[in-house]
Amino acid sequence: MAKLVLSSDGTILQQCFIEKDRTTIGRGPASDLVIDDPAVSRAHAAVITVGNDQTVEDLGAANGVSVNGKRITRHLLEHGDLIEIVASRFAI
């Protein structure tokens, strides 16, 4: 089971095991992982699990999603990847 570790400016803010088929990330209260930052969209990204694989998807957010410094629309995650959403970083 994958785990996301949320940090901002080098401080760990939250840790979350990916237990659902679809885990949403955003500013909105309906998101599974809420990021309190006005630059983050209400529904910014989602981590999709199929079998043992996780994929991160940009949900059309204005500020986008980057993995390992590259802007993506969809990316198959590997251990050690760094997901960036505005100033927040998720290590997997």
Side-chain angles (χ1 to χ4, degrees):
M1 176 182 323
K3 177 172 79 169
L4 291 176
V5 179
L6 170 62
S7 65
S8 182
D9 297 324
T11 302
I12 293 176
L13 303 175
Q14 199 177 149
Q15 297 182 49
C16 174
F17 285 100
I18 304 298
E19 300 176 319
K20 297 168 50 175
D21 291 340
R22 180 181 173 90
T23 301
T24 56
I25 303 168
R27 188 183 77 238
S31 295
D32 297 307
L33 292 170
V34 177
I35 301 173
D36 186 20
D37 182 335
V40 174
S41 297
R42 289 185 184 275
H44 202 103
V47 176
I48 311 299
T49 299
V50 177
N52 291 325
D53 294 327
Q54 284 79 32
T55 302
V56 63
E57 295 181 6
D58 181 345
L59 298 178
N63 290 318
V65 176
S66 295
V67 176
N68 303 325
K70 295 181 183 178
R71 187 122 179 211
I72 57 95
T73 53
R74 179 179 291 161
H75 177 84
L76 179 63
L77 293 168
E78 297 180 22
H79 180 73
D81 278 347
L82 183 65
I83 302 167
E84 298 170 279
I85 297 177
V86 187
S88 298
R89 289 167 175 72
F90 294 89
I92 188 156

